[in-house]
Amino acid sequence: MNDNAAATEPGALAVAGTVLRRVPFTIAFLVLVAVLGVATGGLWRRLDARSWFPDIAYGWLALTEGRWWTPLSGWFFGLTPFQYLVMALFFALAVGWTEWRLGTARTALVCVSGHLIGVLGASVTVGLLAPTHLGWADRLAEARDVGFTTAAIAALAAVSATLRSPWRLRVRAVLVAHVSITFLFESTFADLMHVFAVAAWFPLGEKLFSRTEHGFWPRTRREVRMLGSIGLLLIAAVSVLVYFFPADSLLGPTENDRGSLWSTILTVVVIAAIADQLRKGRRWAWWVAVAYGTLHVVLTLITLGVAIGVDYETTGAVTVGTALLWAGEVALLYGGRGAFRVPARRKITDGALSDADPGTAVRALLARYGGSTMSWMTTWPENKYWFAADGERFVAYQRHASTVIALTDPVGPPDLLPDTIARFTDRCESDGLVPCLFSTTATVADLAGELGWRSVQIAEDTIVDLAQLEFKGKAWQDIRSAINKANKEGIEFRMVHLAEEPFAVLAQVRAISEEWVGEKGLPEMGFTLGGVEEALDPAVRVGLAIDAGGSVHGVTSWLPVYAPGGEIRGWTLDVMRRRPDGFRPVVEFLIASACRTFKEEGAEIVSLSGAPLARSAGADGTEPIDRLLEGLGAAMEPYYGFRSLHAFKAKFLPRHEPVFLCYRDEADLPRIGIALTKAYLPEASAKDLMALGASTH
């Protein structure tokens, strides 16, 4: 034996020993399957041709014949040699992974119960439906089957509850898609078993094994968009599969109800185009998909009703099956409608900027006249714009609950700010809408006050002046410790443009962000709080903390702050995420390293941004609106930690600048409050908001 082989053998034995200790149930089960397969010849010959096959196969027929043991005996066999191979590989991966995460006893419980629930549930179902003489029920009532995929499906359903976002949702989405499509368009006895196993172990797994996250709804706007987009692509894929691989399904034979090749191609092309726009959060694509899906479902129901009423025999398996998929897609899109708020950016139709692209115009005006530390947020795709006729001014806004929320200061010549506010207000009033100015500076709040508006401080911008920043002295001890510890552990700081990074880095950044959102008690916030999609803008800088192995431990994104004339005078912190099991003081390291980098580049300031509903001690007012904001801030603290975040930023010894909400009348405040809730929490359900409201008492 050579030296390399001698060195490798102990390592291989150690790995094998670890696997044997961690997944004994999986290994023992597959060994028993292999032994029985050899003993019966099932590994090289079909079992259903054997005389003793009815004695081991499960199904409704076996139960009516008194073979009560078959739900367990049929568990250890495969129908064909190829089925043995596929099932063994699937079982090894799915159940082995489950056992690694849940332990042997729990995994055995899930597999045994999942298999029995599947067998007995499917058997009883087809038995109860047999008197109806449905072709599908008659066929399955006579079926005898063997196999162990149902146990593996149940294991995946159960173990998904232990995962963090985004994998938690992705595993469940794949399972639901697989089970639904195979049941609707293949409809074998095993497919029906899988439905029962998943239906049982999704909620049971959530109740028994979920620790860090709860619920089945996607946590981020990106995940909702991806699910909606992938759902459409699955419907298109089903059309292709049914055309080329017809079957006798639950709803009837699909061969004569699959349309022409050209209609299938057209369907795929149209759906793919809409799916791509859903992925980008386009509102128009949401409307098209919901309208088409609803129309498809309604027309299918009408057709079925007419066919039943006139006793007209029709196939319709593909139509009905696709309608059911569309019903699920419409439910997903409607439930996640807040994720599809990106308006269609049409060219400007009047004024000096006529025929200009609004996004381009906004960036040009922002560079020309400069803005506040939050002004770059006006470029985000979910905003709409009002442009003055002279083409030199704009206001970015969002509209919710008949309220127009203008985001941060209007951009344009400073001497025209009063006129800009007045003209924007006139436009809102002419449309019957309530205007408010949100996250404005003290300058704009004062100007609005001269026009008769009222204002309230809602946050504090935390500004770090870079000219004298050196991280020296006792006050900076925590920051220096974070930098020194990062150096010792080989954590490197990189300032990058995220869109130019390799896929492996971008995937890690997305996973860190979505895992962070998944741990919150409420859905992802938006409006003035960006995410990874906003960080992909080429004008945005991103700080990464990466170790020697290429693992990303934390990420921050920085928005440009323009001075008049196009010069960038500073940067504003937006995304701030850390890996839960990574380098602990990574955020301190990232912010300090970014400050050093920006100082070397000549920037004047860094804004650590204002945390909504968080203010320094002594800043609380006595007006009713102040007390309301204080209560909301306290209620949201356990979910989003705004006040804790505000306190954390104090480590960087910032100065504070107040941020205001400007409104015209106290009577407008209830509607403004609803509008701001919808802007920040577009995905929040009524249950979420009730929980938030209850926590204020």
Side-chain angles (χ1 to χ4, degrees), residues 482-501:
I483 295 173
N484 293 334
K485 188 174 181 180
N487 292 333
K488 290 179 182 178
E489 296 190 14
I491 306 294
E492 175 190 6
F493 174 77
R494 291 173 52 195
M495 184 65 76
V496 303
H497 294 286
L498 189 58
E500 299 174 359
E501 289 299 290

Side-chain angles (χ1 to χ4, degrees), residues 295-383:
L295 181 64
H296 190 106
V297 172
V298 170
L299 289 179
T300 300
L301 291 176
I302 292 174
T303 302
L304 286 177
V306 171
I308 293 172
V310 301
D311 195 25
Y312 174 70
E313 183 177 353
T314 178
T315 52
V318 175
T319 303
V320 176
T322 305
L324 291 173
L325 294 180
W326 270 112
E329 175 74 6
V330 169
L332 170 66
L333 292 176
Y334 183 78
R337 57 193 178 278
F340 302 94
R341 299 190 302 155
V342 178
R345 289 285 174 82
R346 302 181 181 89
K347 291 186 176 182
I348 302 170
T349 57
D350 54 13
L353 294 175
S354 181
D355 292 328
D357 175 71
T360 303
V362 163
R363 295 185 183 227
L365 290 174
L366 187 57
R368 184 183 309 164
Y369 293 108
S372 72
T373 57
M374 297 181 64
S375 290
W376 187 258
M377 298 174 187
T378 62
T379 68
W380 289 353
E382 292 182 357
N383 294 316

Side-chain angles (χ1 to χ4, degrees), residues 578-600:
R578 63 179 296 271
R579 203 174 74 193
D581 57 346
F583 176 60
R584 191 190 62 79
V586 68
V587 176
E588 291 94 330
F589 168 67
L590 281 168
I591 294 177
S593 300
C595 288
R596 282 180 169 176
T597 299
F598 294 141
K599 179 181 178 181
E600 293 170 359

Side-chain angles (χ1 to χ4, degrees), residues 19 42 95 114 187 297-298 312 536 539 555 561 563 572 608 617:
V19 171
V95 179
S187 309
V297 172
V298 170
Y312 174 70
L536 287 168
V555 56
V561 180
T572 297
L608 302 184

Side-chain angles (χ1 to χ4, degrees), residues 388-680:
D390 59 13
E392 297 297 315
R393 296 169 281 165
F394 78 87
V395 175
Y397 68 90
Q398 290 191 17
R399 176 178 168 178
H400 301 279
S402 299
T403 300
V404 174
I405 310 170
L407 176 58
T408 193
D409 294 358
V411 174
D415 58 316
L416 294 180
L417 272 175
D419 182 69
T420 302
I421 296 172
R423 290 181 180 274
F424 178 70
T425 303
D426 290 343
R427 175 60 185 272
C428 293
E429 289 180 340
S430 67
D431 293 337
L433 304 173
V434 173
C436 70
L437 307 176
F438 186 74
S439 292
T440 66
T441 61
T443 300
V444 170
D446 291 341
L447 290 174
E450 295 174 4
L451 296 174
W453 292 54
R454 303 195 64 180
S455 62
V456 60
Q457 183 181 338
I458 56 173
E460 288 177 334
D461 197 359
T462 48
I463 307 294
V464 177
D465 294 303
L466 298 178
Q468 306 301 322
L469 185 65
E470 293 184 352
F471 301 131
K472 293 181 179 180
K474 184 177 180 180
W476 294 99
Q477 180 60 46
D478 287 346
I479 306 303
R480 290 199 305 272
S481 296
I483 295 173
N484 293 334
K485 188 174 181 180
N487 292 333
K488 290 179 182 178
E489 296 190 14
I491 306 294
E492 175 190 6
F493 174 77
R494 291 173 52 195
M495 184 65 76
V496 303
H497 294 286
L498 189 58
E500 299 174 359
E501 289 299 290
F503 173 79
V505 172
L506 180 56
Q508 289 185 73
V509 170
R510 289 193 188 280
I512 290 171
S513 180
E514 289 165 6
E515 188 173 350
W516 180 86
V517 172
E519 293 177 348
K520 303 301 175 184
L522 289 174
E524 179 186 28
M525 298 191 78
F527 196 32
T528 63
L529 300 171
V532 176
E533 299 308 310
E534 287 76 17
L536 287 168
D537 189 320
V540 175
R541 307 279 291 278
V542 171
L544 300 175
I546 303 180
D547 63 22
S551 295
V552 178
H553 289 251
V555 56
T556 54
S557 71
W558 300 89
L559 313 178
V561 180
Y562 279 95
E567 181 180 354
I568 295 177
R569 69 184 184 94
W571 298 87
T572 297
L573 177 63
D574 183 28
V575 172
M576 183 171 61
R577 307 280 192 268
R578 63 179 296 271
R579 203 174 74 193
D581 57 346
F583 176 60
R584 191 190 62 79
V586 68
V587 176
E588 291 94 330
F589 168 67
L590 281 168
I591 294 177
S593 300
C595 288
R596 282 180 169 176
T597 299
F598 294 141
K599 179 181 178 181
E600 293 170 359
E601 294 174 353
E604 300 173 8
I605 63 166
V606 155
S607 167
L608 302 184
S609 67
L613 305 176
R615 297 179 282 182
S616 298
D620 297 334
T622 58
E623 295 293 324
I625 182 65
D626 292 297
R627 293 196 293 272
L628 174 61
L629 292 173
E630 173 69 19
L632 284 174
M636 298 184 75
E637 177 63 20
Y639 298 100
Y640 294 107
F642 292 140
R643 296 180 176 183
S644 301
L645 178 61
H646 192 69
F648 166 81
K649 293 174 181 178
K651 292 183 178 183
F652 295 88
L653 308 182
R655 58 182 171 87
H656 296 96
E657 294 185 356
V659 178
F660 294 92
L661 164 69
C662 302
Y663 57 96
R664 297 179 306 166
D665 190 323
E666 284 85 353
D668 294 337
L669 288 175
R671 186 176 294 181
I672 291 172
I674 294 172
L676 287 171
T677 301
K678 289 178 177 270
Y680 271 112

